[in-house]
Amino acid sequence: MEKYSIFHIEGGLGKHVSATAVAKAIKNNHPKRELIVVCAYPEVFLNLPFVDRVYRIGLTPYFYKDYIQDKDSLIFKHEPYFTTDHIHKRLPLIENWCKLYDLEYKGETPELVFNARQIQFGERKWKRAKPVLVLQSNGGPVNDQPYTYSWARDIPPHLSAELVNILSQKYHVIQICRSKEQGIPGAEVVHDTMTNMELFSLLLFSERRILIDSCLQHASVALGLKSTVLWVSTSPKVFGYPIHDNIKAEIPEGIKLPDSYLFDYNFHGLNHECPITDLNMFDVPTIISTI
């Protein structure tokens, strides 16, 4: 009888990159089962040697007949974000995810594998005369507003401008943001549409990286690239990695949180929830010293 492990993932791109470590743990714990991944960003998993097949959510024809009915299948679909350990920030996401699935966690970390064409694209797209420094100033999905600043995850615009002004003397700064309106003078602004693996290929040709809690910090770990990561409302203990230089913003204690339910801050950074009165939440010399 066919034996399968079925791993279903929802959420954003960064969460999917983290999930590659969980997929590896599933395979390590159940090596004789084929690993089938169902997710929102299939290309993240396509080249991974421990994944047997990948489906996009909603594009699963005959899935029940092929993998469930009269088959020996293990289902891994529970949501790690709503576990007690995650809400109380007791464990890193990947370790907690494995605990949720009753998997022995052996230190698996995210992994990305590029095919030859993706590497070729990156080489043609991202090589510059000066060493490349990647600055991800803004993250998350593009919405209908031309300019949005999430205090909860983004680098304050004046800080991005100061960093670009200093670092552009030595590096070619490529800024990743949501829209051209968020571009910083002196940086090459990248906001155009491309595949996720094409975006991640930028990291392969970068010398240094200043990132936020978004997809590129997870991808950097998957590629073994130490980066500087600026954290505002989220916790590097939960979402971060020891390989990085993790710098946490100063947020005052005793803030009232009237709209908060299971989590403290809305990741989109709603303006009325902002707990700080001064956006000088990071020390520039400290950031520069990590580069």
Side-chain angles (χ1 to χ4, degrees):
M1 178 181 293
E2 300 95 329
K3 294 185 176 183
Y4 302 105
S5 294
I6 299 171
F7 184 25
H8 179 103
I9 310 150
E10 298 180 10
L13 180 57
K15 184 181 177 185
H16 276 64
V17 178
S18 290
T20 62
V22 182
K24 195 186 311 182
I26 293 173
K27 191 68 171 184
N28 288 341
N29 278 256
H30 303 282
K32 295 183 179 180
R33 294 177 177 272
E34 290 189 29
L35 177 55
I36 312 300
V37 173
V38 182
C39 63
Y41 299 96
E43 63 185 300
V44 171
F45 296 87
L46 281 178
N47 301 328
L48 298 180
F50 47 86
V51 174
D52 294 284
R53 187 162 295 186
V54 187
Y55 292 85
R56 189 183 301 275
I57 291 175
L59 297 177
T60 51
Y62 299 100
F63 194 91
Y64 181 79
K65 294 285 289 185
D66 289 344
Y67 301 112
I68 307 294
Q69 187 176 31
D70 299 324
K71 307 295 193 301
D72 183 350
S73 302
L74 299 179
I75 311 300
F76 300 91
K77 193 180 184 292
H78 304 313
E79 176 52 65
Y81 283 1
F82 300 117
T83 62
T84 299
D85 283 335
H86 182 81
I87 291 171
H88 283 286
K89 303 176 183 178
R90 293 172 181 164
L91 291 173
L93 173 63
I94 294 168
E95 185 176 350
N96 180 56
W97 212 335
C98 290
K99 179 182 177 182
L100 175 64
Y101 291 160
D102 197 27
L103 300 171
E104 182 183 358
Y105 177 62
K106 301 177 182 178
E108 288 88 353
T109 56
E111 184 173 331
L112 290 173
V113 176
F114 294 86
N115 62 37
R117 185 63 187 91
Q118 290 164 339
I119 295 174
Q120 184 184 55
F121 170 90
E123 188 170 18
R124 292 178 178 177
K125 176 77 173 178
W126 304 120
K127 280 195 172 182
R128 301 294 184 269
K130 291 199 296 186
V132 170
L133 182 144
V134 177
L135 174 68
Q136 185 177 12
S137 58
N138 308 79
V142 176
N143 57 28
D144 295 333
Q145 297 178 343
Y147 179 89
T148 55
Y149 163 63
S150 169
W151 66 265
R153 71 184 300 173
D154 296 346
I155 300 176
H158 73 277
L159 175 56
S160 294
E162 187 171 356
L163 291 172
V164 170
N165 183 55
I166 296 171
L167 295 168
S168 61
Q169 300 175 38
K170 180 178 179 180
Y171 298 98
H172 182 100
V173 180
I174 296 181
Q175 181 192 1
I176 305 299
C177 53
R178 295 189 195 89
S179 63
K180 63 180 180 181
E181 286 81 8
Q182 294 174 322
I184 301 297
E188 178 185 348
V189 181
V190 174
H191 59 84
D192 48 317
T193 301
M194 65 185 74
T195 72
N196 297 312
M197 293 299 286
E198 288 171 351
L199 172 63
F200 291 157
S201 72
L202 166 61
L203 298 171
L204 297 175
F205 301 93
S206 64
E207 184 73 21
R208 295 288 187 270
R209 295 151 294 279
I210 300 177
L211 310 171
I212 59 174
D213 181 16
S214 193
C215 62
L216 290 183
Q217 75 104 359
H218 296 285
S220 292
V221 168
L223 299 173
L225 299 173
K226 178 181 178 180
S227 305
T228 299
V229 184
L230 307 186
W231 300 81
V232 184
S233 70
T234 52
S235 168
K237 175 185 175 182
V238 177
F239 296 103
Y241 305 90
I243 187 178
H244 292 327
D245 288 310
N246 295 297
I247 302 176
K248 191 78 171 71
E250 294 293 333
I251 294 183
E253 297 290 337
I255 297 298
K256 296 181 177 64
L257 301 170
D259 293 340
S260 300
Y261 173 42
L262 295 179
F263 302 98
D264 43 11
Y265 302 111
N266 186 305
F267 201 47
H268 296 290
L270 302 178
N271 285 343
H272 75 278
E273 292 183 345
C274 181
I276 52 181
T277 57
D278 184 356
L279 291 178
N280 293 313
M281 61 183 83
F282 293 103
D283 179 62
V284 172
T286 299
I287 297 172
I288 297 297
S289 70
T290 66
I291 301 304

